[in-house]
Amino acid sequence: MQTQVNQTSNNIIVTENLGKSVVTSEGTLHILSSIDLIIKSGESIAIVGESGSGKSTLISLLAGLDTPSTGSISINGKQLTSMNEDGRAALRNELIGFVFQSFQLLHSLTALENVMLPLELSGDKHAKAAATALLHRVGLSHRLTHTPKQLSGGEQQRVALARAFVTKPAILFADEPTGNLDSKTGATIVDLLFELNLENHTTLILVTHDHTLAARCQRTIQLDSGCMV
Amino acid sequence: MSRFNLALRLLWRDSRTGELTILILALVIAVTSSTAIALFSDRMKRTMTNQTAEFLAADLVIESPAPVPAEWLAKAMKLDLAQARTADFSSVLIEHDELLLAGIKAVSAAYPLRGFLKTTTGDYLTETITRNGPEKGTAWVEKRILPALKLNLGDPLTVGEKQLTISNIISYEPDKKGDFYSFSPRVMINDADLQATGIVQPGSHVHYFFQFTGEPKALAEFKRWLKPQLNPSQRILDINEDRPELGSALERAERYLGLSSIAVILISGVAIAMATRRYTERHFNATALLRCLGCKQNEILWLYSSQFVVLGLVASAVGCLLGWFAQEALFHLLRGLLPQQIASPGLLAVFFGFIIGMAVLLGFALPPLLRLKQVSPLRVLRRELEPLPSSAWLIYGLSLGIIGILIWKYTGDLKMTASILGTGLMTLLALGLLIYGLLNLTRKLLPSMSLTWRFGLQGLFRNSRASVSQILAFSLTLVAMVLSFTVRTDLIDNWQNQLPNNAPNHFALNIFPAQRAAFQQELQLQHITGSQFFPVVRGRLVEINHTPVQQIVSKDTQGENATHRELSLTWTKELPEENKIVAGSWWNNQQAGLVSVEQKLAESLKIKLGDLLKFTVGSQQINATVTSIRKLRWDTMKPNFYMIFSPGTLDAYPSTFITSFYLPEPQKNMLNTLVKKYPGTTILEVDFILQQFKTILAQLTQAINYLLYFALMAGFAVLFAAVYATLDNRIYEGALMRTLGANRSLLRKTHIIEFSMLGLISGLLAVVISEAIIYALYTQVMDMEYRPSLYLWAVIPCTGALFVGMAGCWGVRHVLNKSSLRILREQY
């Protein structure tokens, strides 16, 4: 499934004055403030910062998983902030892929079924063939019928990568993709991530603590106490 | 369609991992039991109705002093009703210079439409069951007739002007009544010989019984059509009207069957709710991911609800099948006790089981399932985000609605429904709050407890809300089990008390005052237990507070029946046994002119304390003031009266005496002596009625016992399943504690304490709720006496502690035996 990207502009994500705050018993807590960001199509961006700096909040806002308190986000020319949850869900289905630190595979499904799932959700008739091909591409053709419990951490993350790329998303969000892996396995996964990214011309936005990984991205956004520095 | 396929695929994938096992089990149990009970009670009810119809030898009977219009019979034919006719009258038989007043019964070819006759040609051991009466030209006689008239089998017997041959001794007739015509020994002849006897002439005293059987709908229509056309001397008999004592036993049994069904469904409903809750919680992450991958909220709901519908259909189908086998097995077990002819299973009852399955699933599973719709996609990044619980109104409203509809459907009784729901709900609410308070209070005592107790109890306190809902769920299950058990025990006790083994089986009427002492002595000499002798004066109630009764009564009421005929009036100094004053007081002095009225008649005639009643006795009139209203049991087989007067009121009027006594079978010959010695006295034999009644009660008792076992089994199974549904968190925490150095013994003790306390509190709560419901049920609905049962207070909390404790410890045994690391990893 090739995603239609807005050709009129090269900017795939634009945020203006983006902010997120929550009200606590001790007053309003500003998690993110005044984030102005332009991300071009095909670009790879690393979001770095210390724990609690607002990285995960930023990625959740950009992916439409959460709603901002202030400002606006436009993805592929569409105003995310004016959409309701169902509208954002449709946009996610159309444009966005995810890779998580904790893999987020469904334990009741096999590797193949996990990869097929996003295609099945969009009604793709050739889900199985596409998923099999991608699992082959990530080196897991011999593990198709294994459930996550029967796979190692690295293998699970490879399944997650296959699931993320199987819909050929325009944007891929990766949240600490190597956070749960040892350095060697992590490096293999990162290589695979960038290879797939290149092959699919995907815009990659990844959150990481790892400066080596951040360095492989074209641009780095540093967050400190919810502000870009 | 593709979404539905996807739902099916996800369902299939889920089922492989055992995620759905508890849910399916709970649903299958619910459907199996509701189908089995629906089928069983439907068949049982129809079998019983058929059998009780034997008392009338038909489903519906018109009693009339003259043949009914031909158009009535034509209407019955048009409605496809089978018909038979009997004519009962008295006639004096004279053979070998011996005279005997006999009750003659001429029966048509189709008689009896329900039930059978038993005859013998020798002793009672070789009885033959037959479904037709005597052939033309023959007569069947009761055994007593032969020695009384010095006759033998095969001898001729002249009835009126017709000579017949005695071909059989009749030992059982289904519709033998305890009235005047059956006091005298029976001679049964063929209807075709009736004319030839010459006894039945215009103006003769004959009771015709026109009997009908057929489809219930057609019978109901016939009855509706007929009622307005009856003249005052005609009456319709059906099982509810003619045999109120049986009708009430059956009605109670039906209500019990209904109650058991509801109990089992409630038990399963609780399990379904708990299993769905577990299912839902275990699917938060998967749902968050689906949302993340672009599933809309409604799609999530559609995805899961279509899975549940499929699940419901499959489980209901399996449950229906199992339910079918279960009721077949139940009938197989009961085959020795049940009549030969058992009504066939009704397909509607199977369908009903199916509907129940779906309704219970909807009522109990939908509310927890709806939570999945609320899962935020952000949960993929922040696991701690939990969706808000569904609204309490939705959760309880929906399940209460379903339970309410079920209770109403089973009982057809809004009063009972409201009684159960209202009391149960109020108690539940009050006790829920009480437990919540108690838990929080006990929490304060924790620091002073030992480590094991502290850890054990902390399990309960950690999430008070979850603990309260678990306790309530277990309590409900136990309540359902207690209700099934207690109501059944009391119901059976009640029946046994109703008819003890030596319940009077004979009535003696028309004992003249001069013979009373001698009669009483005769009974005592023969060691026969008799009830009190009551004087009887026949009289008619004519006015209430100077208003003619006919203006007060409404049609078809007990009051109308009572005012259309002469009543047996009596007087006594002491309140008779089995009578209870419900208003006013019994007379302590000897003041004449007071009367005590039976409660239901008083209600029907709107008689109140202080009302002035006027009676006619012969050509004279008596006035009496109502000083008390009495409640009494008509089914005690002892003389009972609508009106009891204070001594001195009726002294001036001619009276006879009535009593009842128990005569064992070997002493039956004594009847002939009594009849000969006291020719004016009427003796009614009611053994047959008693025997039939007892058989039916024994069958019902047995059926109810099996149902109880079924309900208890379902309860225990579900209790286990329900404990399992709450284990995830405990297993995880146990594993965590092991990694922190807790040894197995500590963990085991902790678990025992936690689960046993959970069971103990649930048990205590269950007893309180059950007692409240039983009180409401007995006093408001089943008309039984309520007695708090102390043993329940000891047994139920212990049972709760034992079973929940055992189930819990069994469920978390993995924590002790499996690698903690593995458990912790699997949880993530």
Side-chain angles (χ1 to χ4, degrees), chain A residues 85 92 104 113 120-121, chain B residues 3 9 16 291 293 380:
Chain A
E85 174 46 39
R92 284 198 294 272
Q104 297 280 7
E113 287 163 352
E120 288 178 317
L121 284 173
Chain B
R3 275 283 187 266
R9 279 200 297 274
R16 282 182 321 205
R291 295 288 310 277
L293 293 176
V380 290

Side-chain angles (χ1 to χ4, degrees), chain B residues 277-330:
Chain B
R277 193 175 149 171
R278 176 179 187 251
Y279 176 88
T280 303
E281 282 168 2
R282 287 172 76 100
H283 280 72
F284 282 166
N285 292 343
T287 308
L289 186 77
L290 288 173
R291 295 288 310 277
C292 199
L293 293 176
C295 256
K296 295 172 186 168
Q297 281 185 313
N298 284 337
E299 285 173 333
I300 292 284
L301 192 63
W302 156 250
L303 210 61
Y304 284 112
S305 37
S306 48
Q307 286 184 38
F308 267 59
V309 168
V310 173
L311 201 68
L313 289 173
V314 174
S316 297
V318 174
C320 281
L321 202 67
L322 290 177
W324 177 284
F325 286 122
Q327 61 86 30
E328 281 293 341
L330 212 54

Side-chain angles (χ1 to χ4, degrees), chain A residues 203-214:
Chain A
T203 307
L204 174 67
I205 300 165
L206 67 84
V207 168
T208 184
H209 279 109
D210 182 349
H211 286 283
T212 330
L213 174 57

Side-chain angles (χ1 to χ4, degrees), chain B residues 507-513 516 520 530-537 568-579 586 630 632 636-641 643-645 650 655-660:
Chain B
F507 280 90
L509 330 170
N510 297 335
I511 306 169
F512 295 116
R516 180 198 156 175
Q520 202 163 4
S531 61
Q532 195 180 339
F533 279 67
F534 289 94
V536 174
V537 170
S568 292
L569 313 177
T570 191
W571 70 89
T572 169
K573 193 178 161 197
E574 306 294 338
L575 180 68
E577 278 178 67
E578 322 276 356
N579 282 233
W586 190 250
R630 276 169 306 121
L632 59 87
T636 53
M637 298 291 168
K638 288 178 185 165
N640 277 318
F641 298 90
M643 303 284 175
I644 299 182
F645 291 76
L650 300 172
S655 62
T656 57
F657 282 84
I658 179 173
T659 189
S660 63

Side-chain angles (χ1 to χ4, degrees), chain B residues 1 99 182 280 355 406-407 432 570 610 652 679 692 731 748 772 814:
Chain B
M1 196 59 205
L99 262 82
S182 46
T280 303
I355 297 292
L406 280 178
I407 299 178
T570 191
Q692 276 176 319
I731 290 177
R748 192 177 290 124
H814 292 311

Side-chain angles (χ1 to χ4, degrees), chain B residues 59 63 102 191 201 358 363 372 594 619 732 755:
Chain B
D59 295 331
E63 183 186 355
D191 196 45
Q201 305 288 342
M358 297 309 285
L372 286 174
L594 308 178
S619 57
Y732 179 73
F755 286 108

Side-chain angles (χ1 to χ4, degrees), chain B residues 2 37 316 398 402 579 771 775 805 813:
Chain B
S2 68
I37 290 176
S316 297
L398 208 56
I402 294 289
N579 282 233
E771 290 279 16
Y775 176 76
R813 71 192 188 286

